[in-house]
Amino acid sequence: MKNLLPAIIGLLLLASCSNNYGTKVSKEYLEVFYKEGISKEMAEKTLDYLLPEWRDDGEKTKTKSVQLSKNGDTIVFKAVSVMEVMNKMDETVFYNMGSELSAKLYNNAPVNVVLTDEKFKPLRTYVFRKSEPA
């Protein structure tokens, strides 16, 4: 029993330190976490779609992270964001992104785009608005 105590304490510490970001698929610079309601196939499809789109031109691409979850019939697309950059962008970019992801990846399911900090804590949410592709 004496030898079991350190093991139990170690397991409790490990459990308390673990994140709840979900299961991860990754390739090169991009990681996609997915939670209940999202299949591995959906996460991989998202990864393959975003990989060429989010590559930085002329420099080594920094790690980029997204998290997919489901709320009812709505896909919640969370992206770790640098708000100093995002604040300079027109909000229609994010509404169009939700609409594009809906049409191209998720069988027209509504997609809310959520800009987050590095721990996927929401900073700004763009609720799905269907728009026509440009």
Side-chain angles (χ1 to χ4, degrees):
M1 188 69 159
K2 200 175 203 180
N3 292 337
L4 206 52
L5 190 56
I8 292 170
I9 291 171
L11 281 174
L12 288 173
L13 286 173
L14 238 152
S16 66
C17 292
S18 69
N19 64 48
N20 192 21
Y21 300 155
T23 306
K24 179 173 85 168
V25 293
S26 62
K27 196 183 292 184
E28 295 178 36
Y29 65 88
L30 184 59
E31 52 190 16
V32 176
F33 294 89
Y34 61 99
K35 298 182 97 173
E36 190 173 332
I38 303 294
S39 68
K40 181 177 183 180
E41 292 73 27
M42 287 174 74
E44 289 172 338
K45 189 174 179 182
T46 303
L47 178 71
D48 291 339
Y49 180 78
L50 294 176
L51 199 65
E53 298 289 322
W54 284 12
R55 189 176 312 280
D56 295 330
D57 292 329
E59 59 186 80
K60 185 176 183 224
T61 303
K62 294 177 179 69
T63 300
K64 298 179 182 182
S65 304
V66 300
Q67 180 189 64
L68 301 172
S69 61
K70 204 160 187 189
N71 185 4
D73 66 340
T74 301
I75 306 290
V76 180
F77 179 93
K78 292 183 176 180
V80 173
S81 304
V82 177
M83 293 310 291
E84 294 79 32
V85 174
M86 299 300 139
N87 288 336
K88 296 175 185 174
M89 298 175 76
D90 188 294
E91 68 180 15
T92 58
V93 168
F94 304 107
Y95 289 114
N96 289 344
M97 180 182 188
S99 189
E100 181 178 325
L101 292 171
S102 169
K104 292 187 177 182
L105 298 178
Y106 308 125
N107 297 321
N108 295 313
V111 177
N112 292 345
V113 175
V114 182
L115 307 181
T116 73
D117 69 9
E118 67 280 349
K119 295 186 181 202
F120 292 113
K121 179 182 173 201
L123 300 172
R124 188 173 302 142
T125 299
Y126 297 91
V127 177
F128 180 72
R129 292 183 190 168
K130 187 170 180 144
S131 61
E132 296 303 315

